[in-house]
Amino acid sequence: MERETLEVDVLVVGAGPAGLSFATEFARRCKDRGEEKSILVLDKAEELGHHQLSGAVVDPRGILEVWPHAESDGFPIQAKVSEDAFWWMRSGGKRKFQGPFLPPPFKNKGKWIVSMSEAVQWMATQAEAAGVEVYAGFAGAEVLYGGNEEVVGVRTVDQGRGKSGEQKGNYQPGYDIKAALTVFAEGARGNLAKTLMAKKNLMDGRNAQIWGMGVKEIWEVEHSLEGQVIHTGGWPLDTSIYGGGWVYGLPGNRLSIGFVIGMDHGNASLDYHACMQQWKTHPAISELLEGGKIVKFGAKCVPEGGLFSIPRLWGDGFLLVGDTAGFMNAQRLKGVHLAVKSGALAAEAADSAFADSAPTGAALSCIDTLFQASWAYQELHKVRNFRQAFQRGFLYGFLRAGIDTVFGGRLPGRLPTQSDHERYYSVSKSPQGPSAAQNGPLTFDKLTSVFHSSSMHEEDQPCHLVVPDPSICTDRCTEEFGNPCQHFCPASVYEWQDNQLLMNPSNCVHCKTCDIADPYENIDWVVPESGGPVYTGM
Ligand code: SF4
């Protein structure tokens, strides 16, 4: 069966805040110049917003720059933050910081609490109004290169293959979508951007990206906390592990709760899902949830490396934006405003490149200057050594963060990072964390959590978790690290029985943890034909 080809001027892979901000802003700029350009945005989720997951307390600065009338135009703000606090948790108790005692990064009054799933639907409508075509249900499986190794588009995933890759009766080859410019806005650990970064050495001279793993739940509870924002540190983590929790009060007696852990902890037995379940049993959290019920579950990785871990953003025929490029401020626990800004900066660079001649790497490289002149750069520059300082221990990280805050980030120097997967201790030195949770009034096992993510995949399709060398798992990993995949995956995709790896790919919630956290980098997350979680209202 012949593969169809579609040609557009600009292809955006990923309908998240960065991709949609790029598309809207670029379409407007083309219109202002009196030029018509075909702009296509594709997303792997079956419906727009289904794969969008974030806390999310948003600094509206980026959104209001791209959409100045967002509020009056119906941007879906769930609540504005009216009270904020930080709780330092210890076993059975907590110390509360608020008002003048609240550390500046946790001050959120006036910020917007949003569901990113709803927010991107609104952004997509705005992009369409500006003349952009936005389609869900098309996953990019491969980057297409031209004769000079320039990026010329993306091939979408084939449909209708069986488990062994054989063509079934409903086989339909993916499309080749060719574009003069391709913008990678796939979110954290994009599968296409990963191959592109390796092929084009986009991380040369940068710090390795380091990641956080976030597990989130939405609850309906008895008492409203609408507008309240609480962040927590401490228990159940000890100070050797970077991470903490959140409670955001939504309208309708709902709570967004979650827990993020830095993936550079080194403990081969750590179970992110179990830590989050244990955190809910703390009296300070359990009293908020008592009598309530879980509504949704999700999990996702977030890039925490900051400014020094942002790759080269451009090359012949391509740009990188948003989480894909690591636009996240780990100190403020915020990335949406930076993602939107990175999209807008990319639109300016693309506009200038097209106006000049064509989107070559040289023409697109003006994004570096635009970024360095922006508030996004200033914000990230101030905290450029924040997150990696914690790789040197809690005390060092804490003191360094304090000094950098006092001096406004003016201390010179660059602290390097070590990749998360290189930091594991051997299994014998990995302390037992909380064991996998059981179903109780407040806690859930992983399969129940998967149920609440509504994740589904067609069973008869090639496995989208590719293990290039299975012998590493049995011959080395079992002995050296005790197969951490069985612990770090929040969805029980990896199970070990009698020294055999059994995989349940249909449980996958697309968090990308395995692609990052495997100690031998022996897991490749590739796109499934369709499916995944359904994060409506998340
Ligand atoms: Fe996340 Fe990988 Fe598990 Fe899927 S298989 S849920 S991407 S860790």
Side-chain angles (χ1 to χ4, degrees), residues 464-465 488-491 493-494 507-515 525:
H464 71 282
L465 292 321
F488 61 58
C489 172
V493 170
Y494 304 92
N507 288 357
C508 178
V509 295
H510 296 201
C511 71
K512 312 286 181 73
T513 306
C514 51
D515 194 282
W525 190 99

Side-chain angles (χ1 to χ4, degrees), residues 173-187:
Y175 300 96
D176 279 355
I177 304 179
K178 301 264 182 84
L181 172 65
T182 304
V183 179
F184 294 91
E186 304 170 90

Side-chain angles (χ1 to χ4, degrees), residues 401-445:
I403 291 167
D404 279 346
T405 303
V406 169
F407 289 99
R410 283 189 288 276
L411 281 194
R414 163 177 163 182
L415 297 178
T417 54
Q418 187 181 21
S419 294
D420 300 325
H421 74 274
E422 290 171 346
R423 288 174 59 89
Y424 285 112
Y425 326 123
S426 64
V427 66
S428 57
K429 291 192 180 139
S430 289
Q432 272 301 313
S435 19
Q438 305 296 316
N439 284 332
L442 299 179
T443 60
F444 307 102
D445 62 23

Side-chain angles (χ1 to χ4, degrees), residues 458-474:
E458 159 69 52
E459 298 273 349
D460 188 18
Q461 66 167 304
C463 181
H464 71 282
L465 292 321
V466 179
V467 180
D469 185 351
S471 71
I472 290 180
C473 308
T474 46

Side-chain angles (χ1 to χ4, degrees), residues 20-30 65-67 130 343-345 347-348:
L20 292 168
S21 123
F22 168 86
T24 308
E25 187 62 27
F26 182 68
R28 286 185 194 144
R29 285 173 176 271
C30 291
E65 273 187 14
V66 177
W67 298 282
L345 292 169
E348 197 174 340

Side-chain angles (χ1 to χ4, degrees), residues 216-220 277 280 292-298 441-442 444 448-449 452:
K216 173 177 174 179
E217 293 176 359
I218 299 282
W219 278 66
E220 272 171 17
Q277 300 306 313
K280 288 187 291 179
K293 63 169 194 211
I294 186 172
V295 180
K296 290 296 279 183
F297 165 88
L442 299 179
F444 307 102
T448 307
S449 292
H452 288 296

